[in-house]
Amino acid sequence: FPKIEEPADAERVARRIALPISEPFELHGHSIDIGASVGVAVCPDHGVAIEGLMRAADIPMYRAKQQGGGRYCLFSEELAAEHQRKIDTEAALGEALQRGEFLLALQPQLSFATGEVSGAEALLRWNHPREGLRLPGTFIPIAEQTGIIADLGDWVAAEVASVLAEWQAQGIKRRISFNVSPRQLDRSDFLPRMRATFADAGVPLSLVEMEFTETAAMECSEAVLDEITALRNDGLSIAIDDFGTGFSNIARLRTMPLDRVKLDQSLIADIETSEKARVVVQAVIQLVKGVGAEVVAEAVENVAQADILRAMGCDTVQGFVFAGPMYEEEFTSWTRNADRGARSGAA
Ligand code: C2E
Ligand code: MG
Ligand code: MG
């Protein structure tokens, strides 16, 4: 649009394209419903040659799509930087695995009843050569999009198996749970491979727990559910993670192979101050226990929250109030002290 004087003009044009296209129309007696996502780049700020401008416009177009489509978005330096970071991350992820840049941190889970450390959740960390420690939120979504999540997930399982084997040699019997991405479940050989990983390491499945997000648990096929059930019959624990944020088919809770449900952080965030938040959490706890599963509260940050959750009947607690994620060595010495405390009743 050569006559455009300023970005606001371009936005007006983009709106005039996106809006009418989103109106359903009739074609040969069928109602057709389509949409358009528009990315806007301005010459000469965002490029001068047509190729450069198109490339620049692509970035906000993907953002517009990501935000649900049927809208427009303007190029910005922040968007471009974010896009570049995504490309860099994508490229670096594959090599990072080869170079051994990943680490597992373990976060203790404590039993409310005994104060003892009942298990740990394995949380992935990326020791990036230039940027330092990167948390999973900055690379798991990208790994999921590129498919590298499968290799990453295999590495996590192998690492969990090796820690458990080491503990077993030392006579430590403690369960580790790890997170499984929905994309991993898409692969038909995923669960058999998991079984082999732990069998090869000589680790009984009773020491292993897999965490699936609510939506993944609800969406997986009958065939996958059958395989999960078989693993569970051999001792594996199954947990639903971030419960309360996805779309739960409550009826399915009755039949799902399920041991524990982890209440999402957002559910428990306001329980000290909000009566409504307490009512909701209490109802969810009743529901979960009603179907025979245990309740884990995660991201518990203070003693007030922990006390309320204990009184409400939560079984297990995980959160900064007791301990954050730690690397294996620190975790082992932390749990040694914690268990001593629990035994002497000081926890
Ligand atoms: P998640 O499985 O729900 O893990 C709990 C997250 O809460 C962790 O963040 C943990 O560090 C954090 N957390 C623990 N205690 C507290 C607390 O008291 N307060 C607050 N505010 N946060 C707390 P992290 O390690 O950044 O992991 C984020 C998410 O990344 C995880 O959420 C999980 O969905 C995903 N993730 C982590 N490791 C893996 C992995 O190996 N594979 C896959 N597919 N996803 C992973
Ligand atoms: Mg988790
Ligand atoms: Mg969670």
Side-chain angles (χ1 to χ4, degrees), residues 109 121-123 177-180 211-212 241-242 262 298 318:
Q109 300 181 330
E121 175 174 10
L123 294 160
S177 59
F178 63 98
N179 296 281
V180 176
E211 295 189 6
F212 303 102
D241 204 356
D242 305 334
K262 302 184 78 172
E298 72 173 340
Q318 176 183 347

Side-chain angles (χ1 to χ4, degrees), residues 103-105 107 121-125 134-141 144 149 152-153 155-157 160 178-182 184 211 213 241-242 262-265 298-302 305 318-325:
L103 296 165
L104 278 191
Q107 185 175 32
E121 175 174 10
L123 294 160
L124 192 56
R125 300 289 179 261
R134 280 181 64 172
L135 294 174
T138 72
F139 61 88
I140 292 275
E144 286 178 333
I149 189 68
L152 210 48
W155 181 85
V156 169
V160 166
F178 63 98
N179 296 281
V180 176
S181 152
Q184 288 171 268
E211 295 189 6
T213 62
D241 204 356
D242 305 334
K262 302 184 78 172
L263 306 185
D264 188 70
Q265 180 174 7
E298 72 173 340
V300 178
E301 295 186 341
N302 58 56
Q305 286 175 338
Q318 176 183 347
F320 297 158
V321 62
F322 292 112

Side-chain angles (χ1 to χ4, degrees), residues 136-285:
T138 72
F139 61 88
I140 292 275
I142 297 168
E144 286 178 333
Q145 283 166 26
T146 58
I148 202 153
I149 189 68
D151 298 330
L152 210 48
D154 286 352
W155 181 85
V156 169
E159 193 66 14
V160 166
S162 116
V163 172
L164 282 171
E166 176 61 32
W167 285 358
Q168 211 171 315
Q170 296 171 20
I172 302 169
K173 248 193 164 162
R174 184 166 279 138
R175 182 180 53 213
I176 298 183
S177 59
F178 63 98
N179 296 281
V180 176
S181 152
R183 296 285 75 79
Q184 288 171 268
L185 277 180
D186 292 345
R187 304 241 178 146
S188 60
D189 61 340
F190 169 68
L191 290 169
R193 259 203 340 272
M194 289 297 109
R195 186 188 282 278
T197 298
F198 292 100
D200 292 350
V203 171
L205 288 175
S206 58
L207 295 175
V208 185
E209 179 168 84
M210 287 190 196
E211 295 189 6
F212 303 102
T213 62
E214 190 175 15
T215 311
M218 295 301 154
E219 281 175 356
C220 64
S221 66
E222 283 300 322
V224 170
L225 273 186
D226 287 347
E227 278 182 79
I228 294 176
T229 305
L231 283 166
R232 186 164 171 265
N233 289 340
D234 292 333
L236 180 88
S237 293
I238 302 295
I240 295 187
D241 204 356
D242 305 334
F243 189 78
T245 52
F247 300 98
S248 255
N249 176 344
I250 302 276
R252 196 163 185 182
L253 273 186
R254 287 188 317 217
T255 51
M256 278 240 3
L258 185 61
D259 298 279
R260 311 203 298 159
V261 172
K262 302 184 78 172
L263 306 185
D264 188 70
Q265 180 174 7
S266 59
L267 273 180
I268 62 163
D270 301 321
I271 51 170
E272 316 104 278
T273 49
S274 157
E275 168 68 18
K276 274 191 187 162
R278 283 193 292 276
V279 169
V280 170
V281 171
Q282 184 69 77
V284 173
I285 290 175

Side-chain angles (χ1 to χ4, degrees), residues 109-112 118 260 294-297 314-318:
Q109 300 181 330
L110 278 79
S111 152
F112 265 131
S118 53
R260 311 203 298 159
E294 284 183 18
V295 183
V296 182
C314 247
D315 303 284
T316 304
V317 58
Q318 176 183 347

